[in-house]
Amino acid sequence: MRKFIWYSPSGFASIVFVLYLIPLLFCYVQNTDLMARYVGGIKLELVTLAAVVFFNLLLLLLVFLVNGYVVARPVIPWRERKSVCLVFGVLYLFVGFYAVYQLVVNLDLLQLFYFGWDDHFVKSIGALIPEQGLLRYFFLLQFLILGYFLIIDHVNSRLLLFVLGVFVVAGLAVTTRREPLVVFFLALMLRFRDRDWVFYVLGAAIFSSILALVYLRFDDFFNDFLTSEEFYPFQFSAYLIQESYFKPSVLLSTPMRYFIDVNPGISWQIRYDLFAHDGPGPTVSMAGVFYAYGFLIPAFMLGIVVVVISNFYKLYGSRRSGVLSCIYAFLLMKLLNIMRSGELPIIMIDMFIFLMMAFLVSFISRRVSSGN
């Protein structure tokens, strides 16, 4: 019997599936309303629950099938040169800390520390970032993480790496955004995955950081958590299926969406169509996108993403490299984002830009080495 590897694409996707399925089962067993904060009186039917599970199992099957396919050789062979990694690492760290500074100043985040943790203020940050045109700084936080892992294998001082790591974590935490923090800790877990104590310590750090930042969003954390919008993705998909929201499109689930539609995202568009809600809100899981957009095109787009992730895992997964661990952690987070939000167009664009940022280092390293 094959060993379960939690960080393989299929293993990670299975964990995410179970994580988000449990609250949907809770909703069915407790007979609570679907999308209670947007509509009322609609109960989850058993056939709808079965449909959501079916579409997610198709997604998992696609991941398992594609995970067995590997290209014969890397399209872009990875090469690290110490001098290049240090130069780009410092440059990326500078850009990342600059992004933190801009978010802190423009959103007045320091008031969280001066005046206490205002849960309503924290809830509003996700809306303020796009409203104030700060999405570019949120994206630049990725430079902070990538910069740290570019130098992690080329700096001998553990104290310096520890202090720098503390500053990186503090910079990511003060923005109150969970995804960059999880990517950072996940990358550390992957880099040092041969040490059991690191796995448990960093796993606890991921769990604690998620709970801490989620805790700020609820007045009654323990009663509201499982029924909150944090776990709406599968509920939202169930609602689409139950209400027969079906708008198949050839291009709207591809990156071409941004050339033919001014709406910022799939979930955003669906929320507006159903609830006339023009703003941040719950996301639709990939199961709902499969149903709403006709399955074939979303499945093809998902297949491309999974091919990239699976091949990266097979080609570089065994190497103990900080930057490769960082890249793969980022790709796993994108796989999670796809399963919980189905935002294939923007996720594919994010992946392309991030991989270009990382492989630029490899390209220059090879050019420098060939020139010597």
Side-chain angles (χ1 to χ4, degrees):
M1 185 176 181
R2 295 180 61 182
K3 180 181 178 181
F4 177 79
I5 303 177
W6 67 268
Y7 55 86
S8 68
S10 53
F12 191 79
S14 300
I15 294 172
V16 174
F17 169 65
V18 173
L19 176 67
Y20 281 95
L21 179 63
I22 290 175
L24 186 64
L25 294 174
F26 178 82
C27 176
Y28 178 75
V29 172
Q30 296 294 319
N31 198 32
T32 57
D33 291 348
L34 274 177
M35 306 291 292
R37 299 189 182 186
Y38 292 83
V39 292
I42 299 179
K43 305 296 182 181
L44 176 61
E45 299 174 1
L46 181 60
V47 65
T48 308
L49 174 62
V52 173
V53 173
F54 172 75
F55 277 114
N56 276 283
L57 288 178
L58 284 180
L59 184 155
L60 284 178
L61 177 62
L62 180 63
V63 173
F64 273 88
L65 291 175
V66 173
N67 195 37
Y69 169 77
V70 186
V71 294
R73 54 180 297 178
V75 177
I76 307 176
W78 182 258
R79 181 73 177 269
E80 290 182 41
R81 188 174 178 87
K82 181 177 179 179
S83 58
V84 177
C85 287
L86 289 175
V87 170
F88 273 87
V90 172
L91 175 63
Y92 284 178
L93 283 169
F94 176 81
V95 173
F97 280 119
Y98 173 76
V100 171
Y101 170 77
Q102 289 293 334
L103 288 172
V104 169
V105 170
N106 286 282
L107 297 174
D108 200 16
L109 293 176
L110 290 182
Q111 72 165 286
L112 289 175
F113 301 97
Y114 290 137
F115 302 110
W117 295 95
D118 185 333
D119 61 316
H120 297 290
F121 177 75
V122 174
K123 290 177 185 178
S124 69
I125 292 176
L128 288 174
I129 288 177
E131 285 177 6
Q132 296 189 15
L134 301 175
L135 280 174
R136 61 185 181 277
Y137 297 119
F138 179 72
F139 173 79
L140 290 178
L141 291 177
Q142 299 172 10
F143 280 83
L144 191 61
I145 304 170
L146 184 56
Y148 181 80
F149 283 94
L150 276 169
I151 70 173
I152 194 173
D153 292 328
H154 305 291
V155 174
N156 296 325
S157 174
R158 293 185 179 181
L159 177 61
L160 176 60
L161 288 174
F162 175 78
V163 172
L164 184 58
V166 170
F167 275 99
V168 171
V169 170
L172 297 174
V174 77
T175 64
T176 72
R177 301 296 88 192
R178 292 164 296 166
E179 181 177 324
L181 265 179
V182 173
V183 170
F184 181 81
F185 288 129
L186 182 59
L188 284 176
M189 289 178 69
L190 293 170
R191 174 61 182 84
F192 301 105
R193 61 184 178 270
D194 53 336
R195 306 177 190 178
D196 291 340
W197 68 271
V198 173
F199 174 84
Y200 293 112
V201 169
L202 293 175
I206 292 176
F207 185 73
S208 300
S209 62
I210 292 175
L211 284 185
L213 293 175
V214 169
Y215 178 79
L216 298 173
R217 303 183 181 195
F218 302 112
D219 299 317
D220 188 347
F221 175 76
F222 293 103
N223 290 330
D224 295 342
F225 184 48
L226 286 179
T227 57
S228 71
E229 292 186 12
E230 297 294 328
F231 292 105
Y232 265 24
F234 277 24
Q235 275 198 47
F236 207 166
S237 292
Y239 182 81
L240 295 186
I241 295 171
Q242 203 155 294
E243 296 299 306
S244 300
Y245 181 92
F246 184 64
K247 293 189 175 182
S249 169
V250 175
L251 297 177
L252 289 183
S253 59
T254 74
M256 289 298 296
R257 177 186 188 91
Y258 297 100
F259 297 96
I260 61 177
D261 196 325
V262 296
N263 198 281
I266 291 175
S267 297
W268 198 297
Q269 180 66 60
I270 294 175
R271 287 194 303 268
Y272 184 79
D273 290 347
L274 292 175
F275 313 121
H277 177 77
D278 189 17
T283 57
V284 181
S285 75
M286 193 66 212
V289 175
F290 275 165
Y291 175 81
Y293 285 90
F295 187 76
L296 289 179
I297 299 300
F300 177 74
M301 292 294 102
L302 177 64
I304 294 175
V305 172
V306 177
V307 164
V308 173
I309 298 174
S310 298
N311 279 284
F312 193 92
Y313 168 68
K314 291 292 182 67
L315 292 168
Y316 304 115
S318 62
R319 294 181 59 173
R320 296 295 190 270
S321 163
V323 65
L324 291 177
S325 297
C326 177
I327 297 171
Y328 186 59
F330 175 84
L331 293 177
L332 285 182
M333 181 55 60
K334 291 304 159 186
L335 180 59
L336 183 152
N337 285 345
I338 285 174
M339 295 185 68
R340 75 179 297 274
S341 72
E343 295 288 352
L344 280 166
I346 189 62
I347 287 173
M348 294 181 76
I349 293 172
D350 278 353
M351 285 177 56
F352 175 79
I353 295 174
F354 186 85
L355 289 174
M356 291 302 99
M357 287 163 46
F359 277 93
L360 177 63
V361 177
S362 175
F363 174 77
I364 294 179
S365 292
R366 286 187 287 114
R367 297 284 293 183
V368 170
S369 298
S370 62
N372 291 342

